[in-house]
Amino acid sequence: MDLILKNGILVTSEEMYQADIGISGEKIAAIGTDLQDNTSKIIDVTGKFILPGAIDAHTHMALAFGGTVSSDGYLSGTKAAACGGVTTIIDYAMQRSGKGIMETIEERKSIAQAEVCVDYGFHCIITDLNNDAILDEFESAVQAGITSFKCFFVYKKEKMMVDDGTFLKVLLEADKVGAIVNIHAENSDAIDLNIERLLRNGKTSAWYHYVSRPECVESEAVKRAVHWAVSFNKPLYIVHMADKEGIEAVTLAKDSGYRIYAETCPQYLEFTCDVYKREDGRNFVCSPPMKGKDSKIALWDALKRGDIDTIATDHCPFYKEQKDWGINDFTKIPNGCGGIEFLYPYILNAANAGVISFSKAVEVCSFNPAKIFGCHEKGSLSIGKDADIVVYDPDKDYTVSAKHMHSKCDHTIWEGKSFHGFPVLTFVRGKLVYDNGKFMGVPGFGKFIKRKAKKTQVTSV
Ligand code: URP
Ligand code: ZN
Ligand code: ZN
């Protein structure tokens, strides 16, 4: 073996126990008590926890959006990932009218590969079916490891929204080839109507971002998406859920045995819409917006009872200067917030405080995203899996400051947030990429993850 981490407490999605873990090359080679090997480097991790690396299944590195580009590209975004214990990202590649899926993916890959410091995969956002030609590409996309497609029910003016008919075609075709559909569920027409009325009445501050996209805007779209997935009995993954009624619809469908998966993000668990009343409210502008206190409580409850399957970041930061475009008009604020460096610390901090278990944190940040999105080599501490490992010090105190982030962004919504417990080592496929505050990785080391589809169904609907 090349390395043994000794005397740690292993955390899996099911249990915690004291053990050593041995790494050989890129893989976990042994787990046991008192592992010995003369050739091994040994790190004593007594008192520390050993976790599978987090998989952030929702990122937008260098996203062209809102007339600009998000501030973290694949280099700074994955540096930040490594320093927070994220060992794999699944980024969104956006197919546009006239473009093919593989063309879109290859284009993104050619930007990402030289820069990525952790492993990566892509979901493909479908914005236009190119007269249904795109549907014929689903099978080859799956063969190439793209096993998830996303639709937006929003962003009509940006030409990213799909109508219900297109969504249904994507839902049905994806299932045929064993892929899953992700949906951003907000009602675009209701938002546009609200925006028009608000601007006409001079309501332009960041608070009106929330007022234009209140709870009902999200719940209608979630219920619509769930309705279609349930009616056709197809799996569906709802991204960045922020609303109580939406999550109740998910619970109902899950309880009836349907394969509806829910993702939320740390920002929806931490903040409420009150942040938009702050002087720097525009820095919190993302879509969907943070909702009222009832939604925040409902999300925590759903997480605890197992109705939230994954926690991801929707990492999409913009510089202060970009956010400032909307000082006098909330519709000009680029939508998105960063947070990849604080995903695992945030959830593990909740575990450390006894709000959820450490196994639940591993389940939603690593095990479930690996399972849902077909990252078969990842997501658990077991022999033969990739040695994507985080060593977490439950006693290390850390207070967030943009000055010390590895993201390129010049501010963070997490400024001043204190964590009791923080990752101290991150390994990606056995390679140390983060050591106690210091990035140790190499750009281009990250490997494209050819994800596996659930099944390949040949019957047509
Ligand atoms: O505000 C957000 N979430 N920006 C990124 C794009 C999206 O909708 O996920
Ligand atoms: Zn979205
Ligand atoms: Zn997103």
Side-chain angles (χ1 to χ4, degrees):
M1 285 180 286
D2 299 309
L3 173 67
I4 297 177
L5 300 173
K6 268 209 153 312
N7 305 317
I9 297 161
L10 266 65
V11 186
T12 75
S13 58
E14 284 177 350
E15 55 179 344
M16 291 173 69
Y17 58 99
Q18 175 127 21
D20 303 339
I21 186 161
I23 298 167
S24 200
E26 298 191 340
K27 299 287 180 186
I28 296 173
I31 296 172
T33 46
D34 211 13
L35 292 183
Q36 307 281 351
D37 190 333
N38 287 341
T39 58
S40 298
K41 181 180 169 192
I42 290 176
I43 304 176
D44 187 351
V45 293
T46 301
K48 314 251 183 339
F49 294 176
I50 302 177
L51 319 158
I55 298 173
D56 188 347
H58 190 155
T59 69
H60 301 278
M61 304 305 176
L63 173 71
F65 191 49
T68 185
V69 178
S70 62
S71 60
D72 272 329
Y74 291 95
L75 179 56
S76 59
T78 58
K79 265 188 185 177
C83 297
V86 171
T87 51
T88 301
I89 61 164
I90 313 182
D91 198 58
Y92 280 99
M94 183 141 29
Q95 174 266 345
R96 288 290 198 168
S97 177
K99 290 245 178 190
I101 295 176
M102 289 319 296
E103 190 183 359
T104 303
I105 296 296
E106 289 308 327
E107 225 173 84
R108 273 327 259 190
K109 232 198 226 180
S110 71
I111 302 167
Q113 187 52 69
E115 300 185 12
V116 278
C117 309
V118 302
D119 287 350
Y120 71 108
F122 290 112
H123 313 277
C124 188
I125 301 170
I126 307 296
T127 68
D128 189 295
L129 290 181
N130 297 344
N131 295 320
D132 290 353
I134 285 295
L135 299 172
D136 298 333
E137 257 202 279
F138 274 31
E139 186 145 19
S140 45
V142 164
Q143 299 302 325
I146 310 300
T147 61
S148 41
F149 304 103
K150 181 186 190 179
C151 291
F152 285 116
F153 276 164
V154 278
Y155 307 136
K156 192 177 194 174
K157 286 182 182 151
E158 293 83 354
K159 298 193 176 351
M160 286 150 67
M161 187 196 97
V162 298
D163 58 22
D164 290 2
T166 303
F167 168 68
L168 279 175
K169 284 181 182 175
V170 171
L171 192 72
L172 299 183
E173 192 63 32
D175 188 54
K176 268 200 223 165
V177 297
I180 188 160
V181 175
N182 305 351
I183 186 79
H184 173 148
E186 287 185 289
N187 185 307
S188 211
D189 286 338
I191 294 165
D192 289 343
L193 176 74
N194 287 337
I195 288 175
E196 197 193 310
R197 288 171 154 186
L198 289 164
L199 292 184
R200 208 185 316 130
N201 290 300
K203 313 282 191 198
T204 58
S205 75
W207 169 249
Y208 295 101
H209 173 68
Y210 162 67
V211 175
S212 69
R213 317 170 89 107
E215 280 77 350
C216 58
V217 158
E218 183 173 338
S219 62
E220 182 279 333
V222 168
K223 287 178 192 169
R224 179 161 33 111
V226 169
H227 170 84
W228 289 127
V230 163
S231 300
F232 285 89
N233 192 17
K234 302 299 177 205
L236 178 72
Y237 178 92
I238 309 169
V239 300
H240 51 41
M241 293 200 69
D243 168 64
K244 180 175 189 269
E245 243 184 270
I247 210 69
E248 283 168 359
V250 169
T251 297
L252 209 64
K254 275 180 182 287
D255 288 350
S256 307
Y258 293 100
R259 295 160 294 166
I260 308 294
Y261 303 103
E263 170 196 282
T264 193
C265 311
Q267 54 269 34
Y268 303 117
L269 293 167
E270 178 70 5
F271 304 109
T272 68
C273 53
D274 284 350
V275 291
Y276 300 113
K277 292 177 181 160
R278 288 169 47 156
E279 188 282 319
D280 63 347
R282 62 191 167 281
N283 293 340
F284 293 78
V285 163
C286 57
S287 293
M290 278 59 115
K291 305 294 199 303
K293 199 170 155 210
D294 287 353
S295 286
K296 180 174 143 173
I297 293 168
L299 290 171
W300 277 108
D301 289 345
L303 175 64
K304 289 177 200 167
R305 65 171 188 267
D307 288 340
I308 298 277
D309 298 283
T310 66
I311 301 189
T313 59
D314 195 9
H315 186 79
C316 188
F318 291 93
Y319 293 119
K320 266 189 212 152
E321 183 255 330
Q322 294 169 298
K323 289 286 193 186
D324 285 353
W325 293 352
I327 287 185
N328 298 316
D329 179 350
F330 69 92
T331 65
K332 297 199 164 54
I333 305 167
N335 283 203
C337 299
I340 199 163
E341 202 161 340
F342 309 118
L343 165 69
Y344 230 3
Y346 181 80
I347 303 304
L348 292 168
N349 180 67
N352 221 357
V355 178
I356 55 168
S357 69
F358 279 99
S359 288
K360 173 59 84 179
V362 163
E363 183 192 330
V364 294
C365 291
S366 184
F367 183 80
N368 281 352
K371 203 166 85 180
I372 294 168
F373 292 116
C375 307
H376 289 282
E377 308 292 311
K378 303 191 178 289
S380 70
L381 296 175
S382 35
I383 294 168
K385 296 273 183 190
D386 283 351
D388 294 346
I389 292 173
V390 170
V391 177
Y392 174 80
D393 181 348
D395 293 319
K396 179 174 171 161
D397 288 311
Y398 183 99
T399 301
V400 175
S401 153
K403 281 193 213 106
H404 301 126
M405 289 192 311
H406 296 81
S407 156
K408 242 175 28 186
C409 200
D410 54 358
H411 67 101
T412 171
I413 58 172
W414 297 102
E415 187 73 35
K417 173 79 185 169
S418 288
F419 300 124
H420 184 53
F422 207 79
V424 287
L425 300 172
T426 306
F427 297 88
V428 175
R429 283 177 285 109
K431 179 178 168 42
L432 182 68
V433 294
Y434 167 77
D435 186 354
N436 220 347
K438 265 176 77 186
F439 173 69
M440 306 291 285
V442 176
F445 174 78
K447 194 171 91 178
F448 175 72
I449 304 302
K450 218 171 147 189
R451 295 181 289 122
K452 291 205 173 81
K454 285 262 172 310
K455 58 175 183 201
T456 305
Q457 230 174 260
V458 276
T459 48
S460 57
V461 185

